Amino acid sequence: MTREVKLNELTALLETATYPLPVETAQAEFDDVQLVYADGSEPLAALLDRVNDEQFDSPDEAQSSIYSTIPVEGVGEPGQSEGEG
């Protein structure tokens, strides 16, 4: 069964793993996770395929690496701000 995880829930998910965490282990551990974007979704394992790291030393490091691979469209409209309106 697929687990859908929103971007704002990614940190909590990553904190469930044991670190240091090899990327290959993360792919296996989170192979059922679909990361939900503002404009769709993508398997977390696909994002992990694109990271340049071989291992994450902390949840923060994992999140930073994953966020760097997310398409700009995935986080919302370019230039959009939460405070505007």
Side-chain angles (χ1 to χ4, degrees), residues 43-75:
L44 182 53
L47 287 168
L48 291 168
D49 275 340
R50 298 194 302 258
V51 299
N52 293 325
D53 303 307
E54 292 182 20
Q55 171 177 293
F56 304 125
D57 292 325
S58 69
D60 289 338
E61 182 182 325
Q63 179 178 325
S64 179
S65 292
I66 291 167
Y67 271 36
S68 71
T69 65
I70 295 173
V72 172
E73 303 81 29
V75 294

Side-chain angles (χ1 to χ4, degrees), residues 5-25:
V5 175
K6 296 178 184 176
L7 284 178
N8 64 350
E9 300 168 340
L10 181 60
T11 301
L13 174 72
L14 295 172
E15 289 175 346
T16 65
T18 302
Y19 293 85
L21 177 66
V23 172
E24 286 183 11
T25 302

